[in-house]
Amino acid sequence: MTRRDAGPPATGPGERDVLLGFLDYLRKSVAAKAEGVPEDEVRAPGVPSGTNLLGLVKHLTAVERHYLLGHEVPDWKATFRAGADETAAEVLAAYREAGAEANTVVAAWDDLAVPGPRPGRRGAPSRRWTLVHLIEETARHAGHADILREQLDGRTGR
């Protein structure tokens, strides 16, 4: 099923508003690709590396928590795999919760030039860099999700 692609998001006038507006837009795009897909299919690897829709959502949850909430990630490779005991609904809910929590943290930032909350590093990059990196990371994986979903059932568009 082909859907009409959504245009860029409407955002507020400030820099933080624009950055969060685009990040939220991409978050919704990623989540939409995994919604409504049967459990076995949402976990099905679409490429030889084993990448699957649910794994992308799980990974992006870890990315949000790490870069915006300051959580440690001991094994990045493991973030691409949802556990057998985790349902797609649970993984998607965790992703949405991480995004909402991150938005609350970012809304309190009054200076995007100061270092972001990145654990285990001296001289963490600025909050501005952190937000742009999250947009880049989420957009890259949204593209992966587009392809994986189209391979599963032909659905395209945001």
Side-chain angles (χ1 to χ4, degrees), residues 66-88:
H66 177 73
Y67 281 97
L68 296 175
L69 303 175
H71 295 200
E72 287 284 348
V73 177
D75 182 358
W76 280 105
K77 191 173 182 179
T79 67
F80 281 96
R81 292 184 302 275
D85 60 333
E86 295 176 289
T87 67

Side-chain angles (χ1 to χ4, degrees), residues 96-147:
R96 289 185 179 103
E97 288 168 17
E101 187 178 347
N103 281 357
T104 299
V105 168
V106 173
W109 292 353
D110 58 353
D111 185 354
L112 296 181
V114 300
R118 194 161 171 203
R121 292 235 175 150
R122 286 193 173 135
S126 71
R127 292 169 172 172
R128 180 178 293 104
W129 182 95
T130 300
L131 287 171
V132 171
H133 175 61
L134 262 286
I135 292 167
E136 173 269 329
E137 178 84 1
T138 307
R140 185 165 65 96
H141 291 310
H144 298 148
D146 284 342
I147 292 166

Side-chain angles (χ1 to χ4, degrees), residues 4 9 40 57 78 108 142 146:
R4 185 171 177 267
D40 59 330
V57 175
D146 284 342

